[in-house]
Amino acid sequence: MKKQLLYLPALFFLLSSCGKDFLNLTPPSAISPGKFFKTQDDAITAVNGCYESLALSSQYGNTFQVLMEARADNFTDQDPSSNAGQNYQINRYSDNPGNTNFYNTWVGVYNGIFRCNTLLGNIDGIKMDETLKNRIKAEARFIRALDYFNLVRLWGGVPVLTTVVDPISAVNQKRDDVAAAYKLIEDDLTFAAANLPATYPANDLGRITAGAAKGLLGKVYLYEKKYGNAQTVLQDVIDSKVFSLLPAVADVFNTGNKYNAEIVFAVRYAKGVANQDHGFWYANSQVITVDTTLTKAYDANDLRKPLVDPVKPTGNANIMPRKFLDQPVNGNAGNDFPVLRFADILLLQAEVLNELGYATNGNAFTYLNNVRTRAGLAALTAADLPDQASFRAEVYKQRRLELPFECDRWFDLVRTNRAISEVLANKKVNLPAFRLLYPIPQQEVDIMGFAQNPGY
């Protein structure tokens, strides 16, 4: 019964980075939970295992790019045969509950939640510095919140688990409603923001900060249309001065300049280390192409346009967008995956301020123009965007141009009720409304008896 691996106290707890250095990404090792959680170093090792779950191919390492980008209109997949055509089906809205991308992601994300819940359920038994203990709890709760945020955006209502579940209870789990998931997400991120530091020393660079927790919480509030709450936490991130736009947008993605001032949170990869190479789905085939509606959306002098152009790394048969260019080892690149950037924070806050009331806060134009002018575009004024609707449309446009291939486009289309109209306009494909959510994996329906999402 494969399902039990998601919820049960498994015999082995997968961990990575057994040393104190967060950047020392070593192959996972199997450690019995009963012999673990004895020391402060055990807690650090365990939370590093929570981070590692995000990097796996079932999440940001590969499959998320299929579910969150291929579904939208930035890519066109013209390969109906690779992977039994399953990626192609997602791109063309003909997928079904048996598609292995769904099962792999469901299992992968819930195993990440299992790691977080196992740590959170055991750490209080360790005698250690309380400030560090709360920081580690906060890191795990951020990761759990991110996991649930991704689950609820992909599938709607899902089982919301905060503890490791015994075998009997596991097979009786039901789908909780979306509100329950968002309540946990908010609680986890609020705790994380209150218990994480603003910055870390160099050997812990890449750990979750208070700014990352507030930034993600602001994004969550925006999805829930809690604009006042979103404004407060997003402004805290901006005013902290911890993060800033780099002068040149291309430098943000330079693999020689990882975790720079613009990166609020990224999933880290170390090229050449076992199980830590990043296999970009975008580079898997020359018949996966950047959609022409995206390339044509850029002005000729937009400095971001070259970043979406396909390029071929030296000695590698596959192409990839220039923003993720790295010289791969065995086809795998070592780029970090940017989950949240400061440019995203600025655009989120510009959107929030506009939704709270057009022209009531001049910072909406400031934050929008920060992103535009960095891209080489002219600043806009109220003469150019004279009302709330035109400002909103410009923010949506800049989100597409600034954040392509970073797993935001599909969710942006869905949350703003533009998916059906824009997919039809850009991809010339009819998108049935029920496909705004994915089907529950067939294995979960069969084993757990979950109600399937309508339409499937």
Side-chain angles (χ1 to χ4, degrees), residues 187-431:
D187 289 347
D188 277 351
L189 293 175
T190 299
F191 179 88
N195 289 278
L196 289 168
T199 60
Y200 289 92
N203 66 325
D204 277 326
L205 188 65
R207 290 195 182 278
I208 301 155
T209 63
K214 290 179 180 180
L216 184 58
L217 181 58
K219 196 165 194 170
V220 168
Y221 283 143
L222 174 59
Y223 273 69
E224 297 182 279
K225 302 187 186 307
K226 297 180 178 180
Y227 300 120
N229 293 345
Q231 178 189 11
T232 299
V233 291
L234 292 171
Q235 198 63 48
D236 283 348
V237 179
I238 295 168
D239 292 344
S240 73
K241 307 299 183 185
V242 172
F243 309 101
S244 60
L245 294 181
L246 297 193
V249 64
D251 290 344
V252 178
F253 307 98
N254 185 341
T255 55
N257 188 31
K258 288 186 175 185
Y259 242 92
N260 51 67
E262 188 162 333
I263 302 300
V264 180
F265 178 67
V267 176
R268 307 215 66 184
Y269 291 89
K271 182 169 61 177
V273 178
N275 299 317
Q276 282 295 332
D277 291 57
H278 193 181
F280 281 103
W281 170 76
Y282 311 138
N284 286 351
S285 170
Q286 294 194 38
V287 295
I288 299 170
T289 59
V290 178
D291 197 279
T292 56
T293 62
L294 173 61
T295 56
K296 290 179 179 179
Y298 289 97
D299 292 346
N301 60 339
D302 194 316
L303 299 176
R304 299 167 298 191
K305 186 178 187 300
L307 296 179
V308 305
D309 291 339
V311 293
K312 180 179 179 296
T314 303
N316 188 276
N318 296 326
I319 60 174
M320 62 180 66
R322 187 177 298 275
K323 75 188 299 182
F324 290 134
L325 177 63
D326 188 27
Q327 298 305 324
V329 173
N330 297 323
N332 292 315
N335 314 66
D336 292 346
F337 195 95
V339 177
L340 191 60
R341 289 199 283 123
F342 191 62
D344 189 5
I345 297 292
L346 293 173
L347 291 173
L348 290 171
Q349 187 70 321
E351 182 177 345
V352 165
L353 293 172
N354 185 57
E355 295 303 327
L356 287 171
Y358 172 77
T360 59
N361 188 323
N363 282 336
F365 274 96
T366 299
Y367 301 145
L368 174 64
N369 285 327
N370 286 159
V371 175
R372 282 182 54 89
T373 56
R374 197 266 295 267
L377 305 177
L380 300 178
T381 68
D384 304 297
L385 306 174
D387 52 38
Q388 189 180 51
S390 58
F391 190 96
R392 182 185 295 126
E394 179 62 23
V395 170
Y396 293 167
K397 177 180 179 180
Q398 291 306 313
R399 290 191 63 79
R400 187 186 191 193
L401 301 180
E402 181 67 30
L403 304 169
F405 325 139
E406 297 179 42
C407 293
D408 270 301
R409 176 63 174 170
W410 172 244
F411 294 141
D412 277 347
L413 289 173
V414 172
R415 72 175 177 84
T416 58
N417 299 314
R418 295 177 296 134
I420 293 174
S421 61
E422 295 210 13
V423 163
L424 178 60
N426 292 339
K427 294 175 72 171
K428 312 301 182 187
V429 175
N430 285 311
L431 171 60

Side-chain angles (χ1 to χ4, degrees), residues 52-123:
E52 191 259 355
S53 68
L54 296 173
L56 298 178
S57 62
S58 57
Q59 295 197 49
Y60 289 99
N62 188 291
T63 312
F64 275 7
Q65 301 157 33
V66 179
L67 301 186
M68 300 176 185
E69 282 288 342
R71 191 63 149 196
D73 53 359
N74 286 340
F75 279 101
T76 298
D77 190 331
Q78 303 178 64
D79 183 3
S81 57
S82 295
N83 190 30
Q86 293 185 105
N87 297 349
Y88 177 88
Q89 292 161 14
I90 287 172
N91 181 251
R92 301 303 177 96
Y93 315 107
S94 61
D95 47 83
N96 61 67
N99 191 304
T100 59
N101 286 298
F102 304 142
Y103 181 69
N104 292 341
T105 292
W106 182 281
V107 170
V109 177
Y110 269 110
N111 274 327
I113 292 169
F114 168 79
R115 296 185 190 197
C116 294
N117 287 344
T118 301
L119 168 59
L120 292 167
N122 286 276
I123 192 172

